[in-house]
């Protein structure tokens, strides 16, 4: 197929907020125990953190990590996870049917963040608890000294406050599976009061209101409008969550899910702006896409109820998952003006790009690579190219462009990167890229993932699916011609020479 991409510096969507490359660690399965924390592991440091995991997290260049949940947070007593480890209680976690030993808690996570070059996005429990416990946690974590909770932190051995800037007001509070699930009005009131008290405790923090738990949620739309109407003045972001799967083995429809994602993002922006208009407010609410990924491979996997850190949600990702993850990232960048935060759910073992064996090795899942590329090279401003390419129809969608693409432009370093997915399983694409006002820019790296079967996966002894470098594409008077393989992920990096 032939396709054309036109790019100019004026096609600016917005500044890319680096927090769009966030991730997520929940007390769930082997994300914490056997994932980031395993004191007996050969690579564990003095704090019990697996350094092989930290090294890979650094490669992903993740600027924020949401913690400690997820569904888990809606029953969590944060006080259980601080102070001397031997005094911490073991609790039944009703969200995931396991036992939480509380060997790892807030201070351990904050220490881990420092070592992994990342920051914490903290979630508070607005399910079984409320504004009081939330504001106490802000005081414990962020207040310097001279108050009961700050002094307790100091007594626990942490003299300096951690200064957590970003706080989630609960998790998926519309979901019937959520401990303490609420109606939109109940939640709006709870979130407003919690946010108010938390900000009175520390005026420098930002808060995220829970949006719907997915676009398929029965109350989607109405939930956002009602809760935003109540809490608008106190909160800064509204959350979106979405996972996709391909249980019917329908790859064209699976890869077309980004059209639905686009619609989801657009409608949430519309609801935010409708409430803004209604209130004649000067404040704009931005989006925090704080859970997203492919999730379905591990559905129905058995586990032992009330056991400690059993394997849960351990999806092994295949090649087509990597293409969808790449396309989802492209979609987020297309809305860089409004999406300021996004968290790939999750980071290690639980629906994650990094997979470990407890007591053993580690490997990079297929989805690791597109995330790594976009997180490392997708900096500066997002440029939305004009794309003209053939389209396809499939079972669930019509007019799906085969080529999905976005560019990032780093003005300071005079670098521009084009990310591109070819969703055609059979046809390569001769991409004619018109670089408009990028005169003097030349390609210096062209990375692809292609040539794999859609079901190909990686394993501990088999890092099979991985990117490779290509010959540099040909430049001809401001036009770049690139041959894109069928069913592929591509990264073309240019700089001014
Ligand atoms: O990420 C796994 C789970 O998915 C989270 O705990 C919950 O918020 C969502 O439903």
């Amino acid at each position: 197929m032939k396709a054309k991409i036109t790019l100019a510096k004026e096609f600016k969507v917005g500044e890319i907020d680096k927090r769009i490359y966030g991730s997520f660690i929940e007390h769930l399965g082997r994300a914490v125990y056997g994932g980031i924390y395993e004191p007996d592991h050969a690579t564990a440091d003095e704090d019990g953190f697996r350094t092989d995991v930290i090294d890979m997290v650094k490669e992903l260049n993740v600027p924020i990590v949401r913690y400690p949940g997820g569904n888990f947070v809606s029953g969590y007593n944060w006080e259980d996870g601080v102070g001397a480890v031997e005094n911490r209680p073991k609790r039944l976690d009703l969200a995931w049917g396991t036992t939480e030993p509380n060997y790892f808690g807030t201070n351990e996570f904050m220490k881990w963040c420092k070592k992994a070059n990342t920051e914490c996005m903290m979630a508070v429990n607005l399910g079984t608890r409320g504004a009081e416990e939330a504001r106490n946690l802000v005081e414990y974590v962020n207040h310097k000294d001279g108050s009961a909770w700050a002094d307790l932190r100091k007594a626990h051995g942490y003299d300096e406050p951690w200064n957590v800037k970003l706080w989630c007001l609960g998790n998926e509070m519309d979901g019937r599976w959520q401990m303490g699930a609420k109606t939109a009005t109940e939640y709006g009131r709870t979130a407003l009061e919690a946010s108010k008290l938390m900000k009175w405790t520390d005026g420098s923090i930002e808060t995220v209101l829970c949006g719907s738990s997915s676009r398929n949620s029965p109350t989607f739309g109405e939930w956002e409008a009602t809760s935003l109407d109540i809490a608008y003045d106190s909160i800064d972001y509204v959350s979106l969550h979405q996972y996709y799967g391909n249980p019917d083995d329908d790859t064209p429809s699976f890869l077309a899910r980004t059209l639905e994602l686009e619609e989801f993002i657009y409608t949430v922006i519309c609801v935010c702006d409708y409430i803004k208009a209604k209130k004649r407010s000067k404040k704009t609410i931005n989006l925090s896409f704080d859970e997203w990924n492919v999730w379905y491979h591990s559905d129905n996997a058995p586990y032992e109820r009330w056991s400690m850190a059993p394997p849960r949600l351990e999806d092994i990702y295949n090649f087509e998952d990597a293409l969808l993850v790449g396309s989802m990232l492209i979609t987020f960048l297309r809305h860089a003006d409004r999406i300021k935060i996004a968290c790939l759910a999750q980071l290690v073992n639980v629906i994650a790009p990094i997979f470990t064996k407890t007591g053993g090795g580690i490997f990079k899942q297929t989805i690791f690579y597109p995330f790594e590329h976009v997180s490392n090279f997708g900096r500066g401003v997002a440029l939305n190219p004009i794309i003209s390419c053939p389209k396809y129809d499939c079972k669930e969608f019509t007019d799906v462009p085969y080529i999905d693409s976005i560019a990032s432009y780093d003005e300071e370093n005079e670098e521009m990167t084009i990310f591109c997915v070819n969703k055609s399983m059979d046809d390569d694409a001769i991409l004619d890229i018109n670089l408009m006002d990028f005169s003097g820019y030349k390609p210096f790296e062209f990375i692809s993932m292609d040539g794999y079967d859609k079901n190909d996966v990686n394993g501990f002894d088999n890092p099979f699916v991985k990117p490779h470098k290509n010959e540099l594409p040909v430049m001809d008077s401001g036009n770049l011609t690139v041959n894109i393989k069928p069913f592929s992920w591509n990264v073309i990096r240019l700089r001014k020479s």
Side-chain angles (χ1 to χ4, degrees):
M1 87 179 99
K2 280 198 165 41
K4 195 172 169 188
I5 289 184
T6 307
L7 263 169
K9 291 177 187 164
E10 288 75 32
F11 294 178
K12 178 176 170 176
V13 183
E15 199 70 43
I16 300 167
D17 189 320
K18 65 176 183 177
R19 298 173 301 172
I20 209 167
Y21 307 125
S23 190
F24 179 26
I25 286 285
E26 178 168 3
H27 281 252
L28 158 58
R30 297 187 308 117
V32 172
Y33 307 107
I36 61 173
Y37 178 76
E38 197 184 332
D40 294 335
H41 193 267
T43 72
D45 67 8
E46 66 285 0
D47 291 313
F49 305 152
R50 279 185 70 150
T51 56
D52 56 348
V53 172
I54 287 183
D55 289 345
M56 274 195 195
V57 173
K58 284 184 180 165
E59 283 181 59
L60 283 177
N61 201 1
V62 177
I64 49 157
V65 180
R66 187 167 173 251
Y67 174 86
N71 297 338
F72 171 81
V73 80
S74 295
Y76 183 50
N77 300 334
W78 66 264
E79 302 88 332
D80 292 346
V82 294
V85 173
E86 58 278 16
N87 298 334
R88 297 184 193 175
K90 292 189 173 54
R91 300 270 185 207
L92 298 186
D93 167 27
L94 306 186
W96 298 105
T98 54
T99 301
E100 171 53 53
N102 284 307
Y103 300 148
F104 187 98
T106 303
N107 292 310
E108 287 79 18
F109 185 68
M110 297 309 309
K111 263 189 175 177
W112 180 85
C113 284
K114 293 253 175 273
K115 290 187 174 178
N117 284 349
T118 189
E119 286 187 18
C120 171
M121 177 188 193
M122 188 76 83
V124 297
N125 175 357
L126 295 187
T128 59
R129 309 185 93 194
E132 168 75 357
E133 294 86 354
R135 76 138 193 122
N136 292 347
L137 179 57
V138 175
E139 186 179 314
Y140 180 90
V141 171
N142 283 2
H143 197 67
K144 190 156 173 38
D145 53 24
S147 72
W149 293 109
D151 289 343
L152 184 65
R153 183 200 67 242
K154 287 171 68 122
H156 289 160
Y158 301 94
D159 227 36
E160 290 305 313
W162 294 111
N163 289 323
V164 174
K165 291 290 164 225
L166 197 53
W167 294 77
C168 303
L169 301 166
N171 177 71
E172 297 189 349
M173 300 306 306
D174 62 326
R176 54 176 172 70
W177 58 88
Q178 204 68 217
M179 286 177 262
K182 299 186 176 15
T183 65
T185 305
E186 287 166 349
Y187 173 64
R189 290 283 314 140
T190 306
L192 171 64
E193 290 307 312
S195 180
K196 201 172 83 181
L197 270 57
M198 289 162 76
K199 287 187 169 184
W200 283 352
T201 306
D202 179 353
S204 72
I205 66 168
E206 293 187 312
T207 55
V208 183
L209 185 82
C210 285
S212 300
S213 47
S214 82
R215 183 175 179 263
N216 312 329
S217 168
T219 53
F220 171 60
E222 191 51 47
W223 170 276
E224 280 77 1
T226 306
S227 57
L228 270 170
D229 205 9
I230 298 168
Y232 200 93
D233 291 340
S234 182
I235 61 105
D236 304 281
Y237 307 93
V238 65
S239 77
L240 295 82
H241 289 184
Q242 192 70 55
Y243 296 96
Y244 293 123
N246 187 13
D248 301 329
D249 198 18
D250 174 2
T251 300
S253 296
F254 177 61
L255 292 185
R257 289 275 164 224
T258 47
L259 267 59
E260 190 181 295
L261 180 65
E262 190 81 49
E263 188 76 20
F264 181 24
I265 294 164
Y266 177 68
T267 45
V268 174
I269 292 171
C270 290
V271 177
C272 291
D273 293 350
Y274 158 65
I275 301 298
K276 178 180 181 178
K278 214 178 130 185
K279 290 182 178 292
R280 279 87 174 152
S281 175
K282 287 198 163 54
K283 173 175 162 187
T284 300
I285 299 294
N286 285 318
L287 275 46
S288 170
F289 214 119
D290 48 43
E291 283 190 36
W292 69 274
N293 202 349
V294 173
W295 172 13
Y296 75 106
H297 296 285
S298 62
D299 287 357
N300 309 321
Y303 72 100
E304 195 192 330
R305 200 158 169 80
W306 306 131
S307 57
M308 242 180 250
R312 303 287 321 264
L313 283 55
E314 297 203 345
D315 279 39
I316 298 298
Y317 289 112
N318 60 27
F319 182 60
E320 69 176 12
D321 298 332
L323 297 186
L324 186 71
V325 161
S327 205
M328 289 178 81
L329 284 162
I330 288 173
T331 311
F332 295 155
L333 288 178
R334 210 175 279 133
H335 293 279
D337 54 334
R338 296 301 290 272
I339 303 182
K340 300 294 170 189
I341 302 153
C343 303
L344 175 68
Q346 299 191 6
L347 187 55
V348 186
N349 293 334
V350 175
I351 43 174
I354 299 171
F355 201 87
T356 71
K357 182 182 272 177
T358 304
I362 187 165
F363 72 89
K364 295 174 181 173
Q365 296 241 40
T366 60
I367 62 168
F368 184 97
Y369 298 105
F371 187 92
E372 180 193 25
H373 295 151
V374 185
S375 168
N376 281 284
F377 309 139
R379 303 287 172 140
V381 295
L383 305 178
N384 198 7
I386 298 171
I387 305 171
S388 96
C389 69
K391 298 179 175 176
Y392 68 92
D393 293 341
C394 54
K395 210 164 137 199
E396 296 198 44
F397 301 89
T398 53
D399 288 329
V400 186
Y402 278 115
I403 301 295
D404 195 5
S405 181
I406 193 87
S408 61
Y409 171 42
D410 179 349
E411 197 172 359
E412 204 183 310
N413 295 310
E414 298 190 306
E415 284 191 11
M416 196 258 279
T417 306
I418 302 167
F419 304 99
C420 174
V421 174
N422 180 0
K423 297 184 179 179
S424 168
M425 298 182 78
D426 311 304
D427 290 341
D428 59 359
I430 312 291
L431 265 192
D432 176 18
I433 306 176
N434 179 352
L435 289 173
M436 303 281 281
D437 53 358
F438 281 100
S439 60
Y441 278 72
K442 298 222 165 60
F444 68 94
E445 193 170 36
F446 175 21
I447 310 166
S448 305
M449 284 171 78
D450 58 53
Y452 296 107
D453 183 85
K454 67 192 180 78
N455 293 315
D456 282 344
V457 297
N458 288 342
F460 289 105
D461 305 315
N462 168 31
F464 180 56
V465 180
K466 53 177 182 268
H468 62 87
K469 290 195 182 176
N470 301 297
E471 247 176 62
L472 294 181
V474 182
M475 218 36 212
D476 181 21
S477 48
N479 264 42
L480 196 60
T481 308
V482 191
N483 201 334
I484 299 287
K485 295 273 163 40
F487 212 53
S488 62
W489 164 253
N490 305 275
V491 181
I492 306 152
R493 302 181 66 203
L494 301 98
R495 72 162 70 102
K496 194 159 182 174
S497 55

